[in-house]
Amino acid sequence: MSTFLLVHGAWHSGLCWERVVPLLESAGHRVLAPSLTGYGDKMDLLGPEVGLDTHVDDIVTLIDKEDLAEVVLVGHSYAGLVISSVANEVPDRIAHLVYLDAMVPEDGETAVDVQPMSQHLIDLAAKSASPWRIPPLPEQPLPFGLFGVTDPADMAWLRTMLSDQPVRCLQQPVRLDNPAMNAIARTHIHCVGARPAGITRRPVPALQPNGSPARVRELPTGHDCMITMPAELSELLLEVGR
């Protein structure tokens, strides 16, 4: 049995994994899918002081509280920064890092460094009445939809879990200065469906930090694959958990 810890991306909540959790559990694994501070059941904690460090603390605290070990730590989108930072803090608790259509930072980088279009969102927020918060990205014409979700019912469900992202999350740098984290195996899962202009993806190096060949998988869907292709995503995660 593996322990999967699923970390949602910007604007989302832990509910976005609702279709994936039972599929992993039915295969005999333990699964946790918390909402980060400021989202879902923690929406009332949203404020200008919430940043990347807050979200890293959320996950490290959960790992300690639940005494988790050999964790398959999955980060979607912005949460690539979160899981990298968590691995730096508690590398002995992590068995595998899964970057799910995620930002993959280097030491000292911010979300803006990894995904430059984030600066445009920060600039727009600065002109608003609440310059510390960024509203969810708007729905776009097909084939892009809402975070890659195009089914009307799914889009309506997704809207119920979206909330604003604090600017501080995109401006705080990661600290990846613990050599022990380099030993952790990694898998990259890329969503290769329609991608809006301005969204970039860094190439994955041929070798992982631990020296093993890179593990890259693809799903032919938009960004929120846990909503659009939960069964296929679960199969890829189960490959890691075996």
Side-chain angles (χ1 to χ4, degrees):
M1 183 185 75
S2 294
T3 297
F4 287 89
L5 180 45
L6 312 178
V7 187
H8 65 81
W11 299 292
H12 292 57
S13 78
L15 288 176
C16 69
W17 304 103
E18 190 172 272
R19 296 173 179 176
V20 173
V21 171
L23 298 177
L24 299 178
E25 289 179 335
S26 66
H29 302 291
R30 183 181 183 190
V31 187
L32 297 90
S35 290
L36 299 171
T37 295
Y39 307 97
D41 58 348
K42 302 182 183 72
M43 191 182 301
D44 60 315
L45 300 177
L46 184 70
E49 73 286 350
V50 174
L52 173 62
D53 287 353
T54 311
H55 294 155
V56 173
D57 287 345
D58 287 341
I59 301 303
V60 171
T61 298
L62 178 62
I63 290 173
D64 287 341
K65 179 181 177 182
E66 297 291 331
D67 195 23
L68 304 181
E70 295 295 309
V71 175
V72 178
L73 186 58
V74 182
H76 179 239
S77 196
Y78 152 78
L81 278 70
V82 178
I83 67 169
S84 296
S85 300
V86 170
N88 190 74
E89 294 293 322
V90 289
D92 56 311
R93 302 293 191 96
I94 312 301
H96 206 110
L97 293 171
V98 179
Y99 292 89
L100 179 57
D101 217 35
M103 299 183 185
V104 185
E106 300 291 338
D107 184 31
E109 288 190 321
T110 68
V112 174
D113 295 316
V114 183
Q115 190 61 258
M117 65 85 64
S118 302
Q119 185 60 53
H120 174 64
L121 302 178
I122 293 171
D123 294 342
L124 289 177
K127 300 174 184 178
S128 71
S130 299
W132 61 269
R133 62 198 297 168
I134 301 172
L137 298 179
E139 178 184 335
Q140 299 186 53
L142 296 177
F144 307 113
L146 185 63
F147 294 99
V149 178
T150 57
D151 177 81
D154 286 347
M155 291 169 67
W157 178 55
L158 176 56
R159 289 189 198 100
T160 67
M161 69 183 77
L162 298 179
S163 56
D164 292 353
Q165 173 84 351
V167 164
R168 188 173 174 82
C169 296
L170 307 182
Q171 295 177 323
Q172 281 193 317
V174 299
R175 190 178 75 253
L176 308 178
D177 55 3
N178 187 344
M181 73 171 292
N182 292 332
I184 303 171
R186 302 181 177 202
T187 294
H188 301 260
I189 301 176
H190 295 162
C191 298
V192 295
R195 184 167 53 177
I199 303 296
T200 59
R201 177 186 293 128
R202 290 177 168 176
V204 177
L207 294 178
Q208 301 182 40
N210 65 6
S212 299
R215 285 176 48 91
V216 181
R217 303 291 186 265
E218 294 182 347
L219 288 171
T221 188
H223 188 53
D224 278 5
C225 57
M226 71 288 290
I227 294 175
T228 58
M229 298 188 77
E232 294 84 351
L233 171 59
S234 297
E235 281 300 314
L236 294 181
L237 294 179
L238 289 171
E239 282 184 16
V240 174
R242 291 191 181 106

